[in-house]
Amino acid sequence: GYDRFRAIAIAYYRGIDGIVMLYDVTNQTTFDSVIIWVSMMLLGNKADGSDARIVTEEQGKALADQLDIKFMETHQQKRT
């Protein structure tokens, strides 16, 4: 399924100016899979201080630097 989905996704996104790559900081596989996609920004999800974090912010920044793209992580905003 994954290879088939990837081929469909590449065809679907052909001609766009860019996409935002999102990975789950609690799941190494989602981080490791980022390299196969073309992107303009790398976005780490679930980075709100969870003890389940596996991928560090430094790893995310290093990969973004390697890909020459922007990087940021999402943080849940606390409601008051």
Side-chain angles (χ1 to χ4, degrees):
Y2 179 76
D3 289 335
R4 182 172 176 230
F5 170 76
R6 182 170 178 246
I8 292 169
I10 289 170
Y12 181 77
Y13 291 115
R14 183 170 292 130
I16 65 166
D17 291 327
I19 59 173
V20 174
M21 292 301 300
L22 177 71
Y23 67 88
D24 180 345
V25 301
T26 66
N27 184 322
Q28 184 72 41
T29 303
T30 63
F31 180 74
D32 294 340
S33 298
V34 167
I35 196 76
I36 66 171
W37 298 98
V38 177
S39 61
M40 298 185 86
M41 174 178 269
L42 179 62
L43 180 63
N45 189 30
K46 299 182 183 179
D48 51 359
S50 171
D51 290 337
R53 177 186 276 269
I54 297 170
V55 179
T56 67
E57 185 174 4
E58 291 76 23
Q59 286 176 289
K61 287 179 183 177
L63 181 57
D65 287 344
Q66 176 186 340
L67 298 172
D68 195 26
I69 57 176
K70 296 179 181 182
F71 170 78
M72 68 184 312
E73 290 188 337
T74 63
H75 298 271
Q76 184 176 10
Q77 194 171 26
K78 294 184 180 182
R79 293 183 174 176
T80 56

